[in-house]
């Protein structure tokens, strides 16, 4: 289940050569929180020994507590979405792929790109590298 769906979603991920490798994180979770196969994927063990599915509210609460402990003020759940988008764009993943993978709706992705110069800088240089960006942000000239 997600905040916007009651049936759940399919999620794809691939191994990353970085500390944020989702495959390693999933294996770690399954080792720390072993649960029967009929339980939710992100089931965790409560102090009283009972098992609970991780909810969005609980996850965001944990994230907020950790951010406050590390003095990372203003870190919210949306920050993860933006951070993931930035990571993929800076790795040179095509705009279309990042937009589809991040489930960016309509013009939200364009508005995000237009507000973040760090992402756009490589595409604004006088080279063929600017074509993918200009195709999105500049209308065709007739």
């Amino acid at each position: 289940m997600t905040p916007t769906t009651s049936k759940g979603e399919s999620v794809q991920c691939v191994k990353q050569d970085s500390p944020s490798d989702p495959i390693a994180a999933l294996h770690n979770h399954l080792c720390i929180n072993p649960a029967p196969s009929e339980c939710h994927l992100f089931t965790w063990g409560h102090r009283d020994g009972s098992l609970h599915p991780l909810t969005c509210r609980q996850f965001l609460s944990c994230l907020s507590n950790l951010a406050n402990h590390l003095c990372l003020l203003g870190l919210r759940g949306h920050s993860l979405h933006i951070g993931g988008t930035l990571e993929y764009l800076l790795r040179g993943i095509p705009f279309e792929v990042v937009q589809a993978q991040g489930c960016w709706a309509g013009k939200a992705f364009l508005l995000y790109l237009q507000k973040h110069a760090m992402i756009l800088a490589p595409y604004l240089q006088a080279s063929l590298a600017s074509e993918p960006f200009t195709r999105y942000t500049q209308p065709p000239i007739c």
Side-chain angles (χ1 to χ4, degrees):
M1 287 182 22
T2 69
T4 58
T5 66
S6 60
K7 295 181 181 177
E9 294 183 5
S10 294
V11 177
Q12 302 83 35
C13 62
V14 295
K15 182 167 179 39
Q16 303 290 316
D17 292 327
S18 72
S20 60
D21 174 26
I23 304 300
L26 180 60
H27 287 301
N28 185 56
H29 162 68
L30 295 173
C31 288
I32 293 171
N33 299 294
S37 61
E38 66 271 6
C39 290
H40 290 273
L41 177 62
F42 292 104
T43 296
W44 58 280
H46 193 269
R47 286 182 218 149
D48 66 10
S50 61
L51 297 174
H52 298 272
L54 181 63
T55 65
C56 183
R57 177 176 286 163
Q58 289 167 323
F59 174 76
L60 294 177
S61 175
C62 183
L63 177 68
S64 178
N65 291 339
L66 180 61
N68 289 338
H69 178 75
L70 298 172
C71 300
L72 299 172
L73 303 177
L75 184 62
R76 304 280 184 264
H78 186 69
S79 302
L80 299 176
H81 194 223
I82 295 295
T85 296
L86 177 60
E87 174 70 22
Y88 285 128
L89 289 174
L90 291 176
R91 286 185 183 192
I93 305 298
F95 292 114
E96 300 94 344
V97 174
V98 175
Q99 183 177 15
Q101 186 67 24
C103 300
W104 285 85
K107 294 186 178 184
F109 189 67
L110 283 177
L111 294 173
Y112 173 74
L113 289 175
Q114 291 168 352
K115 291 182 180 181
H116 293 83
M118 189 166 120
I119 295 170
L120 303 179
Y123 297 96
L124 298 176
Q125 297 172 10
S127 72
L128 293 177
S130 67
E131 190 276 330
F133 171 70
T134 56
R135 184 166 30 102
Y136 273 96
T137 59
Q138 296 177 356
I141 299 173
C142 299

